[in-house]
Amino acid sequence: MGKLFNNRTGIMFILLLAIAFPLVFADNRYVLYIMTTCFIFIIAVYGMNLLAGFTGQLSLAHAGFFAIGAYSVGILTTRYELNFWLALLVAMVITCVAGLLLGVIALRTREHFFAIYTLIVGYLIYLLIDKWDSLTGGVRGLIGIPVPDAIGPIEFTSATSMYYLVLFFLVISIFIGVRIVHSLTGRTYIAIRNSEELAQTLGINTRTNKLVSFVVSIAYAGLAGGLYASLTRFIGPEIAGLEMVFNFLIYLIVGGLGTLTGPIVGTMIFVWLTQFLQSFQEYRMLIFGPILVMIVIFYPAGLAGAYFSLKIKFDEARKKRATKQEQKNSLESSKIQSREVS
Amino acid sequence: MELLFQQLLNGLTLGSVYFLVGIGLTLVFGILHVPNFAHGSLYLIGGYVTLMIMKSAGVHYFIAILLSIIVVALLAVLMERLVFNPLRNAPPIHDKIAAIGLVLFFQAFVSLVWGNDYHRMITPFGDAVKIAGISTSPQRLLVIAVAVIVVVLLYLFLKKTMIGASIMAMAQNRDGAFLVGINTNIVAMMTFAISGVLAAIAASLASPINLVFPGMGHLVILKAFVVVIIGGMGSIPGAIIGGLILGISESLGATYLSNDYKDMIAFLLLILIMTARPKGLFAKEAY
């Protein structure tokens, strides 16, 4: 799998699979719907990964910003009857501005304090949505969010068209994420993650870099939220809740914190697993909770990380075997040579 | 005027619960540098164990509390051994995530075993008394009294006993404590056990006032973090002051501002404080 993602044909193959998916399940709206939700969550988790995995700042406010994106789209389209595309744009601006404001303050705190601060801001967003009845509809939520407006002849009324729309955004999100990580900026983030003091000594402006990384990461959450609102057509305050951010965290950690494939693998596995365990829904955390703990203890880099480290070990072993073989060969040939000489 | 005094008394009750939970949190953080998000789960389990022992075995409230203290302390030690000890040298992001895993597990566990209903815990004390024009319940007075006793005992334990001294030594410098022959493993377990004891006491005391339900740990732990940060992480007197500030401002806010938004007061307080002082109000510089 790692090999697939490393070369161009592999990526093309997976992309083709994703494109062909609705053709296989054309008549199964349920499967398409779950897959589309899965893609939306991947976008959000990708954002979280950029911040937590690469810059090393664990923000627990992401469900809050996911909800801000969703509610912005919901309120703008239902109450002000704004065009979906415009609403999505405005929603992203709103989330980014909110993220910038929070980031300026929150990033003054470090490590544990940052996590606690963002956890509480996230919870505050949940409380606000829950209590601010006149704007958000409170516990009843927002109903009747329209599907995205048609672009020319393309309409987004069917499950298949929604699937392709979200896939489009997912591919762009991943592309941007990968480009960021492989750029100098990405290296800068990793330097900050590994040691903030050292990065500062190298002349990196850690404050600006952390802030930019934070806002980009929030933008992912906002985009995912906006798409989620128009996919489900109904949103309630629980999308800002602790459960949501913990879900994102599980997807990320099990998939692989700080890896590019991790968020995809983790989200896919868990969203589908949750579907299969539907009857078990309420108690699934009895299993997922301990899995999270064990992954953190035994495989800190998640499934993707475990795969890569296994692969490195395997490659090294093969190389060692190869060199040994070579030595043996050269030894034998020299023996033969010496025999011939004598 | 009477309303004000009554609310101050209620605030004192709330504050006592908050600082009991907060002290446990702050001890674990100050000594082991673990911000234990799962501390709320200890509180949750503490409340349920007391309630269920009372209901099924029909024992007296105080005996149930005692049993609950033992169960939760053991659970806290188990937590330290199985989860936080293996992560001692991991990056700081890891023990936070592991703690969240524990939170998810315990909440699901409680709703599986005891269901999602709200339970009422009945104490042997009567309903309401009127003292100098202020009506209150004996339970509220008990909360305050027990909290004061517990804090005094904890103080004596930390200052006057050998184990207490070694805990304090480890808070100052883990490697140094190890060098002078303190068994850091035992101290770590002791610290977690104490935090569990405090959580169980707080939950058992607060439950007759607040009801028992699977989500009860969430709000308490979030507020305990506020308390601990107001007080500067790692400081016990700080946690007491922080708890009282929070309890009183919450109870006054609920009366004079809006009952709907009372939970937000704590979090807005935290945001204000961390904006002004990123390390908390009374934070010591060296950590």
Side-chain angles (χ1 to χ4, degrees), chain A residues 1 65 71 120 141 171 175 211 218 254 262 267 287 291 327 338:
Chain A
M1 197 168 58
F65 285 97
Y71 268 92
I120 285 180
V171 170
F175 179 73
L211 189 61
I218 293 290
V254 174
T267 313
I287 300 170
I291 288 182
Q327 276 170 351
S338 58

Side-chain angles (χ1 to χ4, degrees), chain A residues 108 112 117 131 253 282 300, chain B residues 29 35 94 97 116 260 274-275:
Chain A
R108 298 174 53 201
H112 305 317
Y117 193 103
K131 305 279 186 214
I253 304 302
E282 205 180 326
Chain B
F29 183 81
H94 288 176
I97 294 165
N116 282 325
D260 267 359
M274 287 196 96
T275 308

Side-chain angles (χ1 to χ4, degrees), chain A residues 168-213:
Chain A
F168 170 76
F169 279 109
L170 175 68
V171 170
I172 291 183
S173 302
I174 293 179
F175 179 73
I176 293 175
V178 173
R179 289 312 290 250
I180 291 176
V181 169
H182 285 310
S183 70
L184 184 63
T185 321
R187 302 280 160 224
T188 313
Y189 292 165
I190 293 171
I192 294 174
R193 176 190 69 191
N194 291 346
S195 164
E196 210 168 322
E197 284 83 7
L198 198 63
Q200 253 163 1
T201 326
L202 289 172
I204 292 171
N205 184 341
T206 52
R207 204 150 163 202
T208 315
N209 273 297
K210 281 197 302 191
L211 189 61
V212 172
S213 158

Side-chain angles (χ1 to χ4, degrees), chain A residues 24-44:
Chain A
V24 182
F25 293 97
D27 47 353
N28 196 337
R29 284 180 60 93
Y30 166 74
V31 171
L32 279 183
Y33 178 82
I34 300 300
M35 208 54 172
T36 315
T37 346
C38 194
F39 287 173
I40 289 176
F41 288 155
I42 294 177
I43 297 178

